[in-house]
Amino acid sequence: MLAAGSVGTTQIMELSGFGAPSVLEAAGVRTRVEVPGVGENLQDHLQLRAIYKVSNAVTLNQQANSLFGKAKMALDYLLFKRGPMTMSPSQLGVFAKSGPEQSRANI
């Protein structure tokens, strides 16, 4: 069994000669077992965590840091299947330019 994450496992397999012969040959690796799908369709799921201070808003942290807030969130979920407990941990997604020279979002 091999476990080095999605990218690391693929790299180890290809360096060991498992993969698409054209890819292996281009990297100077002798093909031991032809497995065309190795390393294909990998995608980076980049996540950037930015923290901002806001005014005049009740945040999830404020709700979760009090017993009353926790109870309210739990009841809202149990009774109505809504509220903060129905959301995924990542609350915000943003596409942005890495610099002014970019014509459109690239991160």
Side-chain angles (χ1 to χ4, degrees), residues 16-72:
S16 300
F18 294 81
S22 60
V23 173
L24 299 177
E25 289 168 15
V29 177
R30 182 172 67 90
T31 301
R32 295 182 186 276
V33 178
E34 183 176 339
V35 188
V38 173
E40 298 297 319
N41 300 316
L42 289 177
Q43 296 180 23
D44 185 11
H45 297 281
L46 178 66
Q47 190 172 45
L48 177 68
R49 298 214 181 255
I51 300 171
Y52 292 92
K53 186 173 184 171
V54 297
S55 300
N56 302 321
V58 178
T59 67
L60 290 176
N61 285 339
Q62 289 171 322
Q63 291 177 25
N65 284 329
S66 75
L67 187 58
F68 176 76
K70 289 176 188 170
K72 184 181 178 301

Side-chain angles (χ1 to χ4, degrees), residues 78-100:
L78 289 171
L79 298 175
F80 307 108
K81 300 292 186 248
R82 66 179 185 202
M85 292 183 71
T86 62
M87 296 183 273
S88 67
S90 298
Q91 298 297 314
L92 177 67
V94 176
F95 293 97
K97 295 180 185 180
S98 62

